[in-house]
Amino acid sequence: MVDDEVATRAPESDAFAQKPAGEAAQSVFPGDTIAQEGPTMGEHCTTDRPTPSGQIPTGEISKLGGVDVYITKPADYPHSPSKLLLLLTGGTGLKSTNNQLQADKYASEGFLVVMPDQFDGDPAPNSVDMSEVENSPSWLEWAKLKAAEGAKSFLIDMWLARHTPEKVLPILQKVVEGAKEEFADAVANGGGIYGVGYCFGAKYILTLAGEHPEYVSSGQAAPTDEEQGATKNAPLIRAGAVAHGTMVTKEDLEAVKAPVYIACVENDPLFPEEEVLTPGRRALEKNGVEHEIQTFSGVPHGFAVLGDYDEPKIKQAQTQAFGQMLDWIQSH
């Protein structure tokens, strides 16, 4: 879906969390480097769009490995075989109705979906109601928005500092181990676990699709130097599909070993092409990793997360991205 004439930021555009002018951007992920100064997470990573009218989640919140998870199953499970899908969300997290509905959509296509609370009860701050701002054109309201953006930027930076790989990966490992035990039939039927990730969650699907360092349950990273006994784990998922990742580095893509589909937004400062996507694509090709990368134009970062939009082009892109992500995991 390429349209060079349409700017990437649509009418429902992102209000990016910006770093103060002149301040060097630093990743909150140890060992990672931010490709450029600028936004760390976008509004669509941390704020839900309106929920589609009349839709109600059909799954339930339970626990796996001691972690809260939203579980949704195909209507005919366990009488018909299913495959296990791990769904990782953006900053809105486990209790977002839109995220639960998105999990239900994959369940309706035959996947037993496990969506963990990767933030341990601490979803991203949600301090700006974009619907109110978009309906108020006055310069005073615009000034209020700018002030709110600055406050939210600080809150998001603090939030990101609380949710690093050392904290998130042990949570995901507990869920994976719990799912292998609780839903062994679905794991066996699919020959492993599949994964889809959006925004924040996309980074972790890519991590689970790659060779990654060992993280112990205490939240401390294992040695990174091979001479000190560091080891790299094989991928924890069979195949993955991600959309508009945030905080992704070229090193994440260089480590990927499992087949991956990546949906990107054209000219996305949260997933910059020159610093991250292009070298990552080259690494996937060099390493012989099966992959597909689709770039969408004329849509905001976060467009693929389920939610209602007034703009037909965004609705179309959302449907297209879901179909492509679904096709990828169904065919691997």
Side-chain angles (χ1 to χ4, degrees):
M1 181 172 179
V2 179
D3 186 352
D4 294 334
E5 298 300 319
V6 181
T8 298
R9 297 184 67 184
E12 296 98 341
S13 59
D14 292 310
F16 291 121
Q18 298 285 352
K19 293 288 185 183
E23 180 179 325
Q26 295 181 344
S27 172
V28 298
F29 297 102
D32 283 357
T33 55
I34 294 296
Q36 62 181 34
E37 293 189 15
T40 53
M41 290 188 72
E43 186 66 31
H44 287 67
C45 300
T46 58
T47 303
D48 274 333
R49 300 302 302 172
T51 299
S53 177
Q55 296 190 26
I56 300 175
T58 58
E60 61 182 11
I61 294 180
S62 183
K63 284 188 180 290
L64 279 178
V67 177
D68 286 340
V69 294
Y70 178 80
I71 297 176
T72 179
K73 307 171 184 177
D76 54 357
Y77 178 84
H79 303 294
S80 297
S82 180
K83 297 180 180 180
L84 188 72
L85 177 66
L86 180 71
L87 191 156
L88 303 184
T89 71
T92 51
L94 176 75
K95 295 184 178 180
S96 159
T97 299
N98 286 357
N99 291 339
Q100 293 180 0
L101 290 172
Q102 190 136 49
D104 291 346
K105 287 187 66 175
Y106 286 104
S108 70
E109 298 291 344
F111 287 92
L112 193 162
V113 185
V114 173
M115 185 173 74
D117 180 10
Q118 59 197 4
F119 308 123
D120 195 21
D122 179 33
N126 183 5
S127 59
V128 178
D129 186 342
M130 289 302 296
S131 62
E132 293 181 4
V133 174
E134 287 167 359
N135 293 328
S136 179
S138 75
W139 69 268
L140 179 59
E141 292 302 320
W142 179 249
K144 289 180 180 178
L145 171 60
K146 294 289 106 179
E149 283 179 3
K152 186 169 183 181
S153 174
F154 174 77
L155 291 174
I156 288 176
D157 285 347
M158 295 294 290
W159 177 77
L160 286 170
R162 296 195 298 272
H163 299 288
T164 62
E166 291 88 347
K167 296 294 180 64
V168 176
L169 283 174
I171 292 174
L172 299 183
Q173 289 172 339
K174 290 177 184 178
V175 171
V176 166
E177 292 305 314
K180 287 179 178 178
E181 181 176 346
E182 181 75 15
F183 303 113
D185 58 331
V187 175
N189 183 58
I193 296 174
Y194 296 81
V196 294
Y198 299 84
C199 298
F200 184 101
K203 178 182 177 76
Y204 289 91
I205 289 298
L206 293 172
T207 299
L208 298 182
E211 292 181 339
H212 55 89
E214 181 77 31
Y215 287 89
V216 295
S217 59
S218 66
Q220 299 297 317
T224 57
D225 191 331
E226 292 184 4
E227 294 182 357
Q228 298 175 0
T231 59
K232 288 188 175 181
N233 294 331
L236 292 181
I237 60 175
R238 180 181 177 90
V242 302
H244 38 69
T246 59
M247 310 301 291
V248 176
T249 67
K250 64 183 182 66
E251 289 81 9
D252 292 330
L253 294 172
E254 289 169 351
V256 168
K257 298 300 179 184
V260 292
Y261 166 88
I262 303 174
C264 305
V265 173
E266 187 179 31
N267 301 323
D268 187 356
L270 298 176
F271 198 148
E273 182 172 358
E274 183 176 347
E275 298 89 345
V276 177
L277 182 57
T278 296
R281 188 199 305 266
R282 290 171 181 164
L284 292 170
E285 293 171 352
K286 178 181 178 181
N287 295 333
V289 177
E290 186 182 358
H291 65 281
E292 181 178 338
I293 299 174
Q294 176 75 22
T295 299
F296 292 79
S297 67
V299 296
H301 181 98
F303 78 94
V305 176
L306 188 142
D308 201 9
Y309 285 93
D310 293 330
E311 185 66 39
K313 181 166 186 173
I314 303 178
K315 289 184 177 181
Q316 180 184 354
Q318 186 179 101
T319 300
Q320 183 180 349
F322 174 77
Q324 292 177 346
M325 295 172 74
L326 176 64
D327 287 346
W328 184 264
I329 56 176
Q330 283 180 332
S331 62
H332 288 83

